[in-house]
Amino acid sequence: MAFVLIHFNTDYETWKQAFDADPAGRVQSASGYSIARGVEDPNDIFVRVEFSSVQDAKDFRERLLGIGVLEAFNVVTPPTVLEVSETGTY
């Protein structure tokens, strides 16, 4: 399992419209996503998009960067591909 993580600090409503429009084809290649917002600043947005493989995550990242949609928003941490190395529950 792999993820693309992105951290934005931008107007949530404007960003969410672009996210829902799915210009990079997230729905066709991802298996899920989660969005978290800062408690003190709800425009502090953390997005995790889940993929079945590292290659799928890399391909999505390249599509996302290639279409330039991120340029409209304040990206704090650019799309980063991560592979899960450990999880736990308590």
Side-chain angles (χ1 to χ4, degrees):
M1 181 183 312
F3 299 95
V4 171
L5 295 178
I6 310 170
H7 176 196
F8 298 90
N9 189 274
T10 195
D11 178 68
Y12 179 80
E13 297 303 325
T14 302
W15 171 83
K16 185 66 164 74
Q17 288 178 349
F19 180 82
D20 290 344
D22 192 18
R26 176 187 71 254
V27 172
Q28 289 78 22
S29 60
S31 57
Y33 71 90
S34 64
I35 299 169
R37 297 173 71 181
V39 173
E40 293 180 15
D41 180 359
N43 289 322
D44 205 17
I45 307 160
F46 301 83
V47 182
R48 182 188 86 171
V49 183
E50 184 177 322
F51 298 88
S52 60
S53 73
V54 169
Q55 190 58 53
D56 288 346
K58 286 180 176 181
D59 292 346
F60 175 77
R61 178 186 181 277
E62 291 308 310
R63 281 196 313 276
L64 189 60
L65 292 172
I67 62 174
V69 69
L70 298 179
E71 295 169 11
F73 303 103
N74 181 25
V75 178
V76 178
T77 304
T80 304
V81 175
L82 302 171
E83 188 171 33
V84 175
S85 61
E86 184 175 330
T87 60
T89 58
Y90 297 101

